[in-house]
Amino acid sequence: MSKTDIISFENVNKTFETDEGQNEVLSGVNLKIEQGKIFGIIGYSGAGKSTLIRCINGLELPTSGSVKYLDTVVNELSEKGLIDLRSEISMIFQQFNLMPQRTIAENVALPIKYKKIGKKQTAAKVDELLSLVGLSDKADAYPNSLSGGQKQRVAIARALINDPKVLLCDEATSALDPETTDSILEILKELNQKLNITVVVVTHEMKVIEQICEDVAVLHNGRIVETGNVYDVFSHPKEEITKRFVKTTTNLNVSKGLYQALGLPEGHRLIRVTYNNENTIDPVISLVSRKYNVDISILLGDIKLIQGKLIGGLIISVEGNEDDIENAYKELKLNIGIEVEVINDVE
Ligand SMILES: Nc1ncnc2c1ncn2[C@@H]1O[C@H](COP(=O)(O)OP(=O)(O)OP(=O)(O)O)[C@@H](O)[C@H]1O
Ligand SMILES: [Mg+2]
């Protein structure tokens, strides 16, 4: 079966006019999102993530280039066209955006309030959606009495009332604690699998990408610097920024305080090695240690499963005489697929 791109960006640029002059926020963005996928866009604050995702449903318009939803060019739609589009492409946000004066059931029904849909039919749909997100007992409650996680569930139910084909999530879990985040991510996965909704998530957290996304794009300073299958991108990161994200997920970081507390001997070399499914590290470490007569202490190790495959690493201290250390380091570097980095300059 051939795969359909449900969303595509062609050479999209976006510039905001500000008092300080022009601010180019998206530069030459090309992107294809396949129907039925959970697609992640990861980047640090200010990278342009919200601007990018808002171009998908026409909340922002590109300065040049085009954004397509199937065969529709989003940036050429009329106001009416955009309203229709937004019932097919709905959105949830970090801050939930619920109406405090309305009950949960009324909040969920809000997007269809002015459509000619009977009361009974609306009520049935609201019930069905509240049950789907596990909040059947909250229909008559008000948003203020709900936790953050529950509010986001309501927002999800509201986003589904028009049976959308695409759900856009702009930092939907960033205001939530880790456990609540997990439960919201589970719901997004379920919607994708059960209802075949294409989900686009924007985040600065690797956890979100790891847990639910199949494909990812790394956005840095308004440019997509890497894109592809999540495991492929993060097991062989090419760009510095992607490597930084991998480091956050594998927890292979040594703080200055920790480094000092370790009290390592004079002349040691502190090395971070990272590896993936195809290249494991253990035999290499003991081999190098024997061959070059260096002592290797393993200070920190971590391993992650991404889409069922390994990404992991170690922080080691290599100790011995200077030439031996250098030779051991060189040999470690010869191992294809294993990334080796000296990190003595701990910040
Ligand atoms: N309406 C606007 N007018 C002017 N500048 C804007 C506007 N919206 C966004 N920007 C600028 O665009 C840049 C990218 O903003 P954007 O909100 O897309 O980033 P982001 O990756 O979503 O960041 P965050 O993680 O903090 O949400 C920022 O420098 C921001 O100041
Ligand atoms: Mg944002």
Side-chain angles (χ1 to χ4, degrees):
M1 202 177 77
S2 77
K3 293 178 178 140
T4 313
D5 292 322
I6 193 162
I7 290 155
S8 51
F9 279 57
E10 280 162 31
N11 230 341
V12 168
N13 296 291
K14 174 71 181 177
T15 304
F16 287 109
E17 305 284 341
T18 65
D19 293 344
E20 289 88 51
Q22 295 203 328
N23 183 8
E24 188 171 88
V25 173
L26 297 177
S27 313
V29 171
N30 288 297
L31 191 66
K32 287 188 189 309
I33 299 178
E34 252 175 50
Q35 187 150 29
K37 290 259 170 145
I38 305 188
F39 193 102
I41 297 160
I42 189 164
Y44 287 109
S45 184
K49 304 182 297 294
S50 295
T51 308
L52 189 156
I53 202 169
R54 289 161 63 85
C55 285
I56 298 177
N57 62 354
L59 288 174
E60 295 289 358
L61 294 176
T63 315
S64 63
S66 64
V67 178
K68 276 190 181 165
Y69 164 66
L70 296 168
D71 291 326
T72 307
V73 181
V74 174
N75 45 297
E76 288 174 358
L77 286 173
S78 62
E79 272 304 310
K80 162 85 173 63
L82 281 175
I83 290 169
D84 292 343
L85 176 85
R86 287 177 199 143
S87 48
E88 292 194 41
I89 305 182
S90 59
M91 191 166 188
I92 58 171
F93 306 85
Q94 180 172 354
Q95 296 308 334
F96 325 123
N97 297 358
L98 302 180
M99 307 275 273
Q101 323 293 358
R102 296 179 194 252
T103 66
I104 298 310
E106 287 166 348
N107 266 281
V108 173
L110 214 54
I112 55 169
K113 191 171 161 67
Y114 299 104
K115 290 191 174 178
K116 292 190 179 73
I117 298 172
K119 267 192 178 163
K120 257 197 181 150
Q121 206 183 333
T122 300
K125 182 83 186 168
V126 169
D127 280 353
E128 178 198 321
L129 291 173
L130 284 178
S131 147
L132 185 74
V133 298
L135 286 179
S136 295
D137 55 333
K138 298 288 183 194
D140 299 322
Y142 284 86
N144 282 346
S145 65
L146 267 52
S147 69
Q150 290 172 326
K151 285 181 190 160
Q152 194 59 292
R153 284 163 192 258
V154 177
I156 291 172
R158 182 183 55 186
L160 296 178
I161 194 121
N162 280 309
D163 299 318
K165 303 276 191 309
V166 181
L167 178 64
L168 308 177
C169 312
D170 190 352
E171 302 277 6
T173 54
S174 299
L176 306 174
D177 63 60
E179 254 178 56
T180 314
T181 294
D182 288 347
S183 71
I184 297 293
L185 294 178
E186 266 318 299
I187 293 180
L188 296 179
K189 210 168 176 174
E190 241 179 77
L191 300 179
N192 171 257
Q193 285 168 355
K194 282 194 193 153
L195 309 176
N196 198 28
I197 296 180
T198 306
V199 179
V200 183
V201 303
V202 147
T203 184
H204 62 275
E205 287 180 299
M206 273 297 287
K207 172 185 165 98
V208 173
I209 303 288
E210 270 165 50
Q211 277 182 231
I212 60 167
C213 296
E214 295 169 79
D215 288 343
V216 65
V218 182
L219 188 69
H220 186 48
N221 292 336
R223 291 176 189 278
I224 295 199
V225 295
E226 286 192 58
T227 183
N229 166 274
V230 170
Y231 179 77
D232 293 344
V233 168
F234 290 111
S235 61
H236 303 92
K238 295 186 187 76
E239 300 291 326
E240 207 42 50
I241 185 84
T242 316
K243 291 180 184 169
R244 266 167 73 189
F245 279 118
V246 174
K247 277 171 209 158
T248 65
T249 190
T250 47
N251 279 322
L252 293 171
N253 304 301
V254 177
S255 67
K256 199 157 202 158
L258 175 59
Y259 188 47
Q260 283 163 352
L262 285 167
L264 297 167
E266 194 84 356
H268 73 279
R269 205 174 289 191
L270 192 66
I271 292 177
R272 179 195 286 125
V273 279
T274 35
Y275 56 93
N276 56 48
N277 227 36
E278 304 114 58
N279 311 281
T280 43
I281 189 75
D282 350 29
V284 181
I285 297 279
S286 60
L287 189 142
V288 165
S289 164
R290 260 180 283 138
K291 187 164 169 188
Y292 295 103
N293 194 28
V294 287
D295 288 323
I296 297 184
S297 325
I298 295 173
L299 305 173
L300 205 65
D302 195 17
I303 197 157
K304 272 259 141 63
L305 266 186
I306 296 187
Q307 297 178 333
K309 297 184 210 157
L310 298 178
I311 292 186
L314 296 172
I315 291 192
I316 56 178
S317 166
V318 184
E319 295 150 22
N321 92 38
E322 212 177 307
D323 289 347
D324 290 339
I325 294 180
E326 177 61 18
N327 286 331
Y329 169 65
K330 281 189 182 146
E331 174 117 7
L332 280 175
K333 279 195 88 116
L334 284 179
N335 286 279
I336 296 161
I338 295 178
E339 177 114 5
V340 182
E341 209 182 340
V342 178
I343 54 165
N344 279 60
D345 291 329
V346 174
E347 281 173 30

Coordinates of all heavy atoms in Angstrom, one line a residue, residues 312-340:
G312 N 22.6 3.6 24.4 CA 23.2 3.7 25.8 C 24.6 4.3 25.8 O 25.1 4.8 24.8
G313 N 25.2 4.3 26.9 CA 26.5 4.8 27.0 C 27.1 4.7 28.4 O 26.4 4.2 29.4
L314 N 28.3 5.1 28.5 CA 29.1 5.0 29.8 C 29.9 6.3 29.9 O 30.3 6.9 28.9 CB 30.1 3.8 29.8 CG 29.5 2.4 29.7 CD1 30.7 1.5 29.5 CD2 28.8 2.0 30.9
I315 N 30.1 6.6 31.2 CA 31.2 7.6 31.4 C 32.3 6.9 32.2 O 32.0 6.2 33.2 CB 30.7 8.8 32.2 CG1 29.7 9.6 31.3 CG2 31.8 9.7 32.7 CD1 29.3 10.9 31.7
I316 N 33.5 6.9 31.6 CA 34.6 6.1 32.2 C 35.8 7.0 32.5 O 35.9 8.1 31.9 CB 35.1 5.0 31.2 CG1 35.5 5.6 29.9 CG2 34.0 4.0 31.1 CD1 36.0 4.5 28.9
S317 N 36.6 6.6 33.5 CA 37.8 7.3 33.7 C 38.9 6.4 33.3 O 39.0 5.2 33.8 CB 37.9 7.7 35.2 OG 39.2 8.1 35.5
V318 N 39.8 6.8 32.4 CA 40.9 6.0 32.0 C 42.2 6.5 32.7 O 42.5 7.7 32.7 CB 41.1 6.1 30.5 CG1 42.2 5.1 30.0 CG2 39.8 5.8 29.8
E319 N 42.8 5.6 33.4 CA 44.0 6.0 34.3 C 45.2 5.1 33.9 O 45.1 4.0 33.6 CB 43.6 5.8 35.8 CG 42.4 6.8 36.2 CD 41.5 6.2 37.3 OE1 42.0 5.3 38.0 OE2 40.4 6.7 37.4
G320 N 46.4 5.8 34.0 CA 47.6 5.1 33.7 C 48.6 6.1 33.2 O 48.5 7.3 33.5
N321 N 49.7 5.6 32.5 CA 50.6 6.6 32.0 C 50.1 7.2 30.7 O 49.3 6.7 30.0 CB 52.0 6.0 32.0 CG 52.4 5.4 30.7 OD1 52.0 5.9 29.6 ND2 53.1 4.3 30.7
E322 N 50.6 8.4 30.5 CA 50.1 9.3 29.5 C 49.9 8.6 28.1 O 48.9 8.7 27.4 CB 50.9 10.5 29.4 CG 50.1 11.8 29.0 CD 51.0 13.0 29.1 OE1 51.7 13.2 30.1 OE2 51.0 13.7 28.0
D323 N 51.0 8.0 27.7 CA 51.0 7.4 26.3 C 50.0 6.2 26.2 O 49.3 6.1 25.2 CB 52.4 6.8 26.0 CG 53.4 7.9 25.7 OD1 53.0 9.1 25.6 OD2 54.6 7.6 25.7
D324 N 49.9 5.5 27.3 CA 49.0 4.3 27.3 C 47.5 4.9 27.2 O 46.7 4.3 26.5 CB 49.1 3.5 28.6 CG 50.4 2.7 28.6 OD1 51.0 2.5 27.5 OD2 50.9 2.3 29.7
I325 N 47.3 6.0 28.0 CA 45.9 6.5 27.9 C 45.6 7.0 26.5 O 44.5 6.7 26.0 CB 45.8 7.7 28.9 CG1 45.9 7.2 30.4 CG2 44.5 8.5 28.7 CD1 45.8 8.3 31.4
E326 N 46.6 7.7 25.9 CA 46.4 8.2 24.5 C 46.1 7.0 23.6 O 45.2 7.1 22.7 CB 47.6 9.0 24.1 CG 47.5 9.5 22.7 CD 46.4 10.5 22.4 OE1 45.8 11.1 23.4 OE2 46.1 10.7 21.2
N327 N 46.8 6.0 23.7 CA 46.6 4.8 22.8 C 45.3 4.1 23.0 O 44.6 3.7 22.1 CB 47.8 3.8 23.0 CG 49.1 4.3 22.4 OD1 49.0 5.0 21.4 ND2 50.2 3.9 22.9
A328 N 44.9 4.0 24.3 CA 43.6 3.4 24.6 C 42.5 4.3 24.0 O 41.5 3.8 23.4 CB 43.5 3.3 26.1
Y329 N 42.6 5.6 24.2 CA 41.6 6.5 23.7 C 41.5 6.4 22.1 O 40.4 6.2 21.6 CB 42.0 7.9 24.0 CG 41.3 9.0 23.4 CD1 39.9 9.2 23.6 CD2 41.9 9.9 22.5 CE1 39.2 10.2 23.0 CE2 41.2 10.9 21.8 CZ 39.8 11.0 22.1 OH 39.1 12.0 21.5
K330 N 42.7 6.3 21.5 CA 42.7 6.1 20.0 C 42.0 4.9 19.6 O 41.2 4.8 18.6 CB 44.1 6.2 19.5 CG 44.6 7.6 19.4 CD 45.9 7.6 18.6 CE 46.6 9.0 18.5 NZ 48.0 8.9 18.6
E331 N 42.3 3.8 20.3 CA 41.7 2.5 20.0 C 40.1 2.5 20.2 O 39.4 2.0 19.4 CB 42.3 1.4 20.8 CG 41.6 0.1 20.6 CD 42.5 -1.0 20.0 OE1 43.7 -0.8 19.8 OE2 42.0 -2.1 19.6
L332 N 39.7 3.2 21.3 CA 38.3 3.3 21.5 C 37.6 4.0 20.3 O 36.6 3.6 19.8 CB 38.0 4.1 22.8 CG 38.1 3.4 24.1 CD1 37.9 4.3 25.3 CD2 37.1 2.2 24.2
K333 N 38.3 5.0 19.9 CA 37.7 5.8 18.8 C 37.7 5.1 17.4 O 36.9 5.4 16.6 CB 38.6 7.1 18.5 CG 38.3 8.2 19.5 CD 38.8 9.5 19.1 CE 37.9 10.2 18.2 NZ 37.4 11.5 18.7
L334 N 38.5 4.0 17.3 CA 38.5 3.2 16.1 C 37.2 2.4 15.9 O 36.9 1.9 14.9 CB 39.6 2.3 16.0 CG 41.0 2.9 15.7 CD1 42.1 1.8 15.8 CD2 41.0 3.6 14.4
N335 N 36.5 2.2 17.0 CA 35.3 1.4 17.0 C 34.1 2.1 16.3 O 33.6 3.1 16.8 CB 34.8 1.0 18.4 CG 35.8 -0.1 18.9 OD1 35.6 -1.2 18.6 ND2 36.7 0.4 19.7
I336 N 33.8 1.6 15.1 CA 32.8 2.2 14.3 C 31.4 2.2 15.0 O 31.1 1.2 15.6 CB 32.6 1.5 12.9 CG1 33.9 1.7 12.2 CG2 31.5 2.1 12.1 CD1 34.2 0.7 11.1
G337 N 30.7 3.3 15.0 CA 29.4 3.3 15.6 C 29.4 3.7 17.1 O 28.4 3.9 17.7
I338 N 30.6 3.7 17.7 CA 30.7 4.1 19.1 C 31.3 5.5 19.1 O 32.3 5.7 18.5 CB 31.6 3.1 19.9 CG1 31.0 1.7 19.9 CG2 31.8 3.6 21.3 CD1 31.8 0.7 20.6
E339 N 30.5 6.4 19.8 CA 31.0 7.8 19.8 C 31.8 8.0 21.1 O 31.4 7.6 22.2 CB 29.7 8.6 19.9 CG 30.0 10.1 20.0 CD 29.6 10.8 18.8 OE1 29.0 10.2 17.8 OE2 29.8 12.0 18.7
V340 N 33.0 8.5 20.9 CA 33.9 8.7 22.1 C 34.3 10.1 22.2 O 34.7 10.8 21.2 CB 35.2 7.9 21.8 CG1 36.1 8.0 23.0 CG2 34.9 6.4 21.5

